[in-house]
Amino acid sequence: RLFYEHNPQVTLMRTNPAECTELGRIIAEKVNLSTGPVSVLLPTEAISVISAPDQVFHDPAADQALFAAIKDNLREGIKVLEIPAAVNDLAFSKAAAHALLEMLD
């Protein structure tokens, strides 16, 4: 297993593709419960600072397993936007704000 010690009190473990598949299914189930407007935004470059290219948790296969499971398990009609940015990038923030504003109209 791949571990990352964030600080003396917090150690993170990188999820593998099988675990990401299960997490994606769980996320989709929760999103499917929504009763109002909803969209799912996927940051295709990195889901965290330490999962970006050249970082300790970079694992494109695991990220793709997560994204595929989310998309495969969402009910019909839920919009999925794949954003070619890392979750902490300004481009992702702008896409999220734009998606929110679209749903508020």
Side-chain angles (χ1 to χ4, degrees):
R1 300 306 303 235
L2 179 59
F3 292 94
Y4 174 77
E5 187 176 324
H6 178 69
N7 62 44
Q9 289 78 33
V10 177
T11 299
L12 307 173
M13 181 187 74
R14 179 57 163 122
T15 48
N16 62 37
E19 292 163 335
C20 284
T21 297
E22 180 64 11
L23 288 171
R25 185 190 61 73
I26 292 167
I27 290 168
E29 284 180 358
K30 292 180 182 294
V31 173
N32 288 341
L33 297 174
S34 63
T35 58
V38 62
S39 294
V40 174
L41 283 68
L42 304 176
T44 61
E45 299 299 316
I47 59 174
S48 70
V49 170
I50 60 174
S51 73
D54 299 322
Q55 296 298 314
V56 66
F57 276 10
H58 183 66
D59 187 344
D63 291 348
Q64 286 308 309
L66 174 69
F67 298 157
I70 290 170
K71 291 185 285 189
D72 290 346
N73 289 283
L74 284 175
R75 65 177 157 78
E76 193 172 320
I78 294 179
K79 187 175 183 178
V80 177
L81 301 169
E82 294 188 37
I83 310 302
V87 70
N88 293 323
D89 290 350
L90 181 59
F92 188 80
S93 300
K94 286 181 176 182
H98 182 74
L100 175 61
L101 290 172
E102 278 187 349
M103 288 186 285
L104 293 176
D105 280 341

